[in-house]
Amino acid sequence: MNTIEYAKTVLNELEHTLLSIDTKNAEQFVELVDQANEIFCAGAGRSGFQVKGFAMRLMHMGKKSYVVGETCTPNIKEDGILVICSGSGETKSLVNHAQKAKEVGAKLALITINPESTIGKMADVVIEISAPSPKSAKEGQIKSIQPMGSLFEQSEGLFMDIAIMMLMEKNHMDSDTMFGRHANME
């Protein structure tokens, strides 16, 4: 295949995953994030990279957002929400974070392939992404030409960007307003 053929196939895969996300769950996700006093974001590997981008965009909106594990991340409280990105929903460190969030009474949102996972069962809202991953219980049921969990990781990133757009609309914000909070020490 050439680059155009690969691009068309990847775009078709992304269209499938993004259009299969439950709209009510997406709206609930946006509402929980919007209502939270502080938003804590966690993920491992490439999912961790994606959720860091979400935390950054929340900061651009003026929200108190943090990445779990960073030195300057405070403790989560009952008026916070923990957003976890995990294809399997079983990553041990993320399960521990989810348990701690629930112990203090915080909300928990999971973006995953596996809504029946350990974290999924604890979550207040689950965003299911229908993508294959070597660590998923659905391995082999969903096909992708992309390696490993690439389709999931791309889809979760795009879903979080869509959630940001929904938050922007809800809070009457635009890119110009948000750009005022963009880093100026690059």
Side-chain angles (χ1 to χ4, degrees), residues 37-42 51 55 64-68 70 72-74:
N37 185 47
E38 297 177 311
I39 303 106
F40 294 79
C41 299
V51 81
K64 293 178 188 172
S65 62
Y66 307 98
V67 175
V68 175
E70 296 294 325
C72 58
T73 301

Side-chain angles (χ1 to χ4, degrees), residues 16-17 113 129-133 138-144 151:
H16 168 77
T17 57
I113 297 167
I129 307 280
S130 295
S133 167
K138 297 180 180 181
E139 175 64 13
Q141 295 176 15
I142 305 164
K143 301 290 183 202
S144 172
L151 180 57

Side-chain angles (χ1 to χ4, degrees), residues 101-181:
K102 296 311 286 182
E103 282 174 20
V104 301
K107 298 292 185 197
L108 174 62
L110 174 65
I111 303 171
T112 188
I113 297 167
N114 187 9
E116 299 303 316
S117 64
T118 302
I119 300 171
K121 290 176 183 171
M122 287 188 271
D124 294 283
V125 64
V126 176
I127 303 300
E128 181 178 2
I129 307 280
S130 295
S133 167
K135 293 192 245 177
S136 168
K138 297 180 180 181
E139 175 64 13
Q141 295 176 15
I142 305 164
K143 301 290 183 202
S144 172
I145 65 163
Q146 300 181 67
M148 300 168 62
S150 290
L151 180 57
F152 171 69
E153 295 142 4
Q154 294 157 1
S155 299
E156 69 184 332
L158 289 171
F159 166 74
M160 288 183 284
D161 279 346
I162 291 165
I164 291 294
M165 290 185 282
M166 293 170 73
L167 284 162
M168 288 171 65
E169 181 180 10
K170 187 174 174 37
N171 291 283
H172 311 288
M173 293 185 156
D174 60 25
S175 288
D176 293 337
T177 308
M178 291 168 60
F179 190 73
R181 292 185 192 90

